[in-house]
Amino acid sequence: MIRSIPLHHSAPLQLPLFASSCTGAAHSVQFRLKPQGKRAPGSSSSQEVFSEAKQGGVKICTVSAFGRRDQDRVLEQEAPENLDTGPMLKIVPGQAFPLGVSEVDNGINFAIFSQHATAVTICLSFNERIDDRTLEFKLDPDDNRTGDIWHICIQDLPRKNVLYGYRIDGPQGWHHGHRFDDSIVLLDPYAKFVEGRRYFGGENKSSGFLGTYDFDSLPFDWGDDYKLPNILEKDLVIYEMNVRAFTADESSGLASSIRGSYLGVIEKIPHLLELGVNAVELLPVFEFDELEFQRHPNPRNHMINTWGYSTINFFAPMSRYASAGGGPLNASREFKEMVKALHGAGIEVILDVVYNHTNEADDVYPYTTSFRGIDNKVYYMLDLRNNGQFLNFSGCGNTLNCNHPVVMELILDSLRHWVVEYHVDGFRFDLASVLCRGPDGAPLSAPPLIRAISKDDILSRCKIIAEPWDCGGLYLVGRFPNWDRWAEWNGIYRDDIRKFIKGDCGMKGSFATRVSGSSDLYKVNNRKPFHGINFVIAHDGFTLRDLVSYNVKHNNANGEGGNDGCNDNFSWNCGFEGETEDANIRALRSRQMKNFHLALMTSQGTPMMLMGDEYGHTRYGNNNSYGHDTALNHFLWGQLEARKRDHFRFFSEVIKFRRKHPHLFSRENFLGENDITWHESNWDNPESKFLAYTLHDGNGEDVYLAFNAHDYFVSVSLPSPPTKRKWFRVVDTNLESPQDFVLDGIRGIGSTYNLAPYSSILLKAKLENELL
């Protein structure tokens, strides 16, 4: 029968890339061009095969056609004497390293790890897009395997525009943890570019994903005057954003070809500068399948994964973020253009990375694209005492076996790749507590992967941020293994700030601890205040506007019966659930949003805000909007413009005020007794919802802050300003724009201040004729 060609050879095997059909009467061995997906319209029902034949002592490969009825017959043919064989493909065993695709000795080397595989076949296609045919070479375990790495080198292959993948077979015992299926062409975990559908949310829902490479294009030109921003961690102001959602809406005013793309981000850098942030934290930009929910009938099959927390490959930039359906190579180049432009504007790039699980789901609805079919028992945590079932600490069906040596090296290689090749400045690790578990899921006190990231030379300049929890209950806020390098999303900060500002009882002491840098969590060894990433709002959960507009989540649009998303939001709707025209409620919500923002931007530690909060974006109470590629998630530029002079202005000015006063708000060390004065003698009263304090800078440029979470006015006795200075009011969140923030300050502040319900103030000590 016709088969993929096995490679048993001691000398190079030579195959023409595209040869003519041969006729005659000599024995030949054939291998098939495997069909991939549906046949193109108008194509023949017969398939093409390559025939290996002898000519002058050299093995060659020729093309012939055969119908489906002929597939089980071995053809006996003789190569003609004057056969035009065209360019030859010379096949040699290749080398085990580096993994993935590399160019060596005028050839292309392919290497892939699989410890438990018994058969590996490489599949090639010589077109820019996935088509009906894949040329296959079955690797010989004697010649093409070194240890647990399978490899092959094919000389004279094109240096770009070749798609490749693998068929891998092995033991079939699921109870032993194996999931081999050689009917599936698998994506190389080390592929640097991934080809799939070209347009985000395109109609080709069943599009496969194959690797490709490019050894032909010139290196990207970063420019002679290019330099990294190298912003100190203590000075960061982080803006969490989604590349697609940032410019996908028509209101962005961009051409349709670049909306939702890396190039779209470049066009909107002026907005980031006007806002005042100096770092963007990009929701996942590794290749993912946005249509994964639509693979089979289910309550979520109307959804499009727009957040991207479902990685297919850890090295390739999301190809459908390229402009105009440009594909993976353009996506790579445009990603670099985006980073270069952001760096040129003094803005760092932090990537939200998902190494805790992959897109491959579970055994109920498996989505085998790579790791599962390559070596499931190595790449995933399994319960081998329970029929080899997946352990699920990610909440997504599987958990990557991060501290296995092979998987750990994959993650380290991926991180280094993004730093060296794409010049990114740091990483935020999604559900990072998963990275602290051993192969059996047990927590590790000194996880090898976390330590390796901390000590790695290439990653030494990077910001590394943990989301210090997972879906298995491993909550490590303040206790994440860190080697004095790791920062953490401070989930306790989020909760305590929310509770105090909305007026919960007994929260004053916790609020004071959080705004002063969470020393209870981070004042350990050589950790610093900036190792706490302070946030009130992040991508998952309510937006800031929804936090003050909804008491409960409204997630019915997600198709899960409202069961998804967090129930503990610590939100307050200010008297009415959802949208309202009531002027008093709207004014209260506006004050509360400003209160949250002022607290965030004046806290010790590193602040992070969410895209869209600068104009008051709403998701109408949906606190888990991962699957909506609509205005629910898209940045609405028209709404920004409508709120530019009030809400946006306040947010922007407060950010800039923080950055202008790093000696007050961005301290290197935790506050000492000479750095802060608490104007408080009522700490033990759980009914007290008022807090005031003064931050001292040592030069008389003190700042006084007061927060009133009561539902009544509080008459505040102000402390005396430093010698020869007076208090000037910079912020009063109860006032309308532009009086809510006055950069030069309003003079005439007496010894008392009447602070309105649910409002806050910031006073600056300054000389009478001094500008802020």
Side-chain angles (χ1 to χ4, degrees):
M1 63 180 293
I2 295 173
R3 56 188 173 87
S4 300
I5 185 168
L7 301 181
H8 300 285
H9 49 81
S10 57
L13 172 65
Q14 301 189 43
L15 305 173
L17 183 55
F18 294 107
S20 304
S21 297
C22 61
T23 59
H27 178 72
S28 65
V29 179
Q30 302 176 334
F31 58 96
R32 192 184 322 167
L33 287 174
K34 290 279 189 181
Q36 292 293 310
K38 297 181 179 179
R39 182 172 298 280
S43 63
S44 171
S45 62
S46 64
Q47 297 188 41
E48 289 183 328
V49 298
F50 278 89
S51 296
E52 179 190 321
K54 286 278 188 177
Q55 182 181 17
V58 176
K59 292 182 179 179
I60 62 172
C61 189
T62 61
V63 176
S64 61
F66 63 96
R68 298 185 186 276
R69 296 179 181 176
D70 299 321
Q71 290 184 11
D72 293 330
R73 292 192 293 112
V74 177
L75 303 182
E76 299 272 347
Q77 295 184 337
E78 178 180 339
E81 293 183 2
N82 298 319
L83 177 65
D84 178 12
T85 61
M88 291 293 184
L89 296 183
K90 300 177 182 178
I91 299 175
V92 295
Q95 61 191 45
F97 293 99
L99 292 171
V101 182
S102 56
E103 189 173 38
V104 292
D105 296 333
N106 197 35
I108 307 298
N109 191 80
F110 300 84
I112 188 170
F113 166 89
S114 183
Q115 177 183 346
H116 296 102
T118 57
V120 174
T121 300
I122 189 169
C123 311
L124 302 174
S125 177
F126 300 99
N127 295 303
E128 291 186 3
R129 298 178 186 273
I130 299 173
D131 69 358
D132 293 343
R133 303 175 302 161
T134 300
L135 176 62
E136 298 187 351
F137 298 95
K138 189 172 183 179
L139 276 60
D140 179 4
D142 292 330
D143 292 335
N144 299 98
R145 181 172 184 172
T146 302
D148 295 326
I149 298 174
W150 302 71
H151 46 82
I152 181 174
C153 182
I154 305 176
Q155 298 181 1
D156 299 317
L157 267 180
R159 302 180 73 230
K160 64 185 297 187
N161 295 334
V162 175
L163 304 181
Y164 76 99
Y166 294 91
R167 297 185 189 275
I168 298 181
D169 203 1
Q172 298 302 305
W174 279 32
H175 58 289
H176 291 306
H178 302 301
R179 304 293 189 273
F180 290 106
D181 183 350
D182 65 355
S183 70
I184 301 173
V185 178
L186 302 167
L187 176 64
D188 178 7
Y190 274 80
K192 303 305 188 294
F193 310 98
V194 175
E195 179 70 83
R197 73 181 68 86
R198 287 295 181 96
Y199 291 92
F200 193 91
E203 295 182 358
N204 188 5
K205 298 178 182 179
S206 61
S207 175
F209 295 90
L210 293 180
T212 188
Y213 58 82
D214 179 12
F215 299 112
D216 202 35
S217 299
L218 294 174
F220 181 78
D221 182 10
W222 290 95
D224 295 335
D225 57 350
Y226 169 80
K227 62 180 180 179
L228 298 168
N230 288 323
I231 300 170
L232 296 176
E233 286 185 85
K234 72 180 187 65
D235 294 327
L236 289 176
V237 179
I238 301 172
Y239 183 79
E240 191 190 27
M241 60 173 285
N242 180 305
V243 167
R244 175 167 172 79
F246 195 45
T247 64
D249 194 79
E250 189 175 353
S251 64
S252 67
L254 303 181
S256 60
S257 60
I258 66 170
R259 289 203 296 265
S261 71
Y262 302 122
L263 296 186
V265 173
I266 296 175
E267 295 297 316
K268 295 300 183 179
I269 288 177
H271 168 71
L272 301 175
L273 294 175
E274 186 179 5
L275 179 59
V277 298
N278 59 11
V280 292
E281 184 174 300
L282 305 180
L283 265 64
V285 293
F286 295 0
E287 186 73 24
F288 64 92
D289 182 4
E290 71 279 11
L291 297 182
E292 63 179 357
F293 306 133
Q294 303 182 19
R295 295 182 295 114
H296 53 82
N298 69 92
R300 297 190 298 164
N301 61 12
H302 61 291
M303 307 266 274
I304 293 178
N305 186 346
T306 187
W307 284 359
Y309 290 88
S310 194
T311 308
I312 284 180
N313 173 277
F314 297 114
F315 291 84
M318 176 58 171
S319 60
R320 286 168 299 290
Y321 287 171
S323 63
L329 302 188
N330 283 321
S332 173
R333 176 178 52 79
E334 292 174 6
F335 186 97
K336 294 173 183 176
E337 290 178 6
M338 177 190 69
V339 172
K340 179 180 178 180
L342 286 165
H343 283 176
I347 298 172
E348 291 199 336
V349 179
I350 299 169
L351 302 187
D352 192 336
V353 292
V354 187
Y355 293 111
N356 60 81
H357 75 284
T358 74
N359 66 294
E360 294 188 301
D362 54 20
D363 286 333
V364 179
Y365 294 111
Y367 185 20
T368 304
T369 56
S370 184
F371 309 95
R372 175 185 170 99
I374 293 171
D375 205 327
N376 188 76
K377 193 172 182 177
V378 167
Y379 282 112
Y380 292 110
M381 294 184 193
L382 304 172
D383 186 355
L384 296 178
R385 297 169 299 180
N386 185 23
N387 294 319
Q389 296 300 302
F390 288 97
L391 294 172
N392 184 13
F393 298 110
S394 67
C396 297
N398 64 66
T399 308
L400 209 62
N401 192 9
C402 300
N403 284 294
H404 185 286
V406 170
V407 184
M408 183 174 77
E409 196 60 35
L410 170 78
I411 294 171
L412 289 168
D413 286 343
S414 166
L415 294 169
R416 295 172 188 134
H417 176 70
W418 287 97
V419 172
V420 173
E421 184 70 18
Y422 292 101
H423 293 196
V424 303
D425 303 284
F427 305 93
R428 176 266 188 188
F429 292 79
D430 182 64
L431 297 183
S433 290
V434 165
L435 281 59
C436 300
R437 294 182 182 271
D440 62 353
L444 304 173
S445 59
L449 174 61
I450 300 300
R451 184 186 188 281
I453 293 171
S454 306
K455 303 294 184 180
D456 190 87
D457 288 340
I458 292 176
L459 304 178
S460 62
R461 73 164 182 83
C462 294
K463 283 75 177 177
I464 48 177
I465 304 168
E467 182 184 33
W469 52 81
D470 64 19
C471 295
L474 189 55
Y475 192 78
L476 295 175
V477 174
R479 299 182 295 112
F480 191 85
N482 57 80
W483 284 270
D484 296 327
R485 279 279 286 123
W486 285 76
E488 299 175 15
W489 269 25
N490 190 346
I492 297 177
Y493 177 96
R494 173 199 60 206
D495 297 345
D496 287 351
I497 298 296
R498 288 184 178 191
K499 292 175 185 178
F500 177 82
I501 294 292
K502 78 184 183 75
D504 283 3
C505 294
M507 292 306 301
K508 179 163 61 176
S510 296
F511 180 77
T513 300
R514 299 301 150 235
V515 298
S516 60
S518 296
S519 60
D520 61 326
L521 300 175
Y522 302 116
K523 195 175 182 181
V524 180
N525 298 327
N526 291 317
R527 301 194 86 183
K528 303 293 184 180
F530 55 75
H531 285 129
I533 306 298
N534 297 330
F535 67 104
V536 177
I537 303 296
H539 66 276
D540 47 356
F542 284 147
T543 66
L544 186 58
R545 180 173 166 185
D546 289 354
L547 185 69
V548 301
S549 303
Y550 295 89
N551 284 346
V552 296
K553 65 186 182 183
H554 295 263
N555 291 3
N556 288 334
N558 298 349
E560 298 186 50
N563 293 317
D564 64 308
C566 183
N567 293 317
D568 300 322
N569 298 291
F570 307 117
S571 61
W572 177 44
N573 65 17
C574 297
F576 184 86
E577 187 75 359
E579 298 296 301
T580 180
E581 295 301 319
D582 187 297
N584 291 328
I585 292 177
R586 290 165 66 94
L588 175 55
R589 289 174 176 176
S590 176
R591 290 204 304 277
Q592 288 290 74
M593 285 190 282
K594 290 189 285 187
N595 292 334
F596 280 120
H597 188 62
L598 181 66
L600 176 65
M601 291 300 161
T602 56
S603 294
Q604 304 301 313
T606 302
M608 183 189 77
M609 65 172 293
L610 176 66
M611 175 188 89
D613 281 348
E614 67 266 39
Y615 67 81
H617 183 83
T618 180
R619 295 176 184 152
Y620 301 98
N622 192 324
N623 74 349
N624 194 30
S625 62
Y626 63 93
H628 299 278
D629 187 36
T630 65
L632 204 66
N633 282 315
H634 293 172
F635 193 102
L636 303 178
W637 295 90
Q639 291 189 14
L640 169 69
E641 195 59 35
R643 297 163 187 165
K644 205 71 176 286
R645 295 185 179 182
D646 43 54
H647 185 99
F648 173 82
R649 175 186 173 275
F650 181 87
F651 273 55
S652 173
E653 293 290 359
V654 170
I655 293 171
K656 293 171 183 175
F657 188 84
R658 175 190 176 86
R659 292 185 59 189
K660 191 175 180 180
H661 298 85
H663 52 294
L664 287 169
F665 308 119
S666 306
R667 299 183 188 239
E668 178 78 20
N669 297 305
F670 288 96
L671 297 173
E673 60 181 14
N674 296 324
D675 300 320
I676 189 168
T677 299
W678 299 103
H679 306 295
E680 182 58 58
S681 59
N682 206 15
W683 290 108
D684 296 328
N685 181 3
E687 299 299 320
S688 177
K689 305 173 184 179
F690 174 86
L691 182 68
Y693 55 96
T694 299
L695 290 171
H696 308 290
D697 79 335
N699 296 313
E701 296 182 1
D702 293 359
V703 162
Y704 172 90
L705 286 145
F707 293 86
N708 180 20
H710 287 291
D711 58 1
Y712 52 80
F713 278 86
V714 173
S715 181
V716 184
S717 296
L718 299 177
S720 299
T723 305
K724 297 182 180 181
R725 284 174 167 79
K726 296 183 180 297
W727 290 121
F728 283 67
R729 190 196 75 224
V730 178
V731 173
D732 186 337
T733 62
N734 183 53
L735 301 177
E736 297 291 328
S737 182
Q739 295 302 310
D740 54 356
F741 184 99
V742 179
L743 179 60
D744 293 334
I746 298 297
R747 69 185 67 207
I749 305 300
S751 60
T752 61
Y753 197 100
N754 203 23
L755 192 56
Y758 299 110
S759 66
S760 50
I761 60 171
L762 183 153
L763 310 180
K764 179 75 163 60
K766 53 180 286 191
L767 300 172
E768 283 283 356
N769 60 351
E770 178 187 358
L771 296 178
L772 296 183

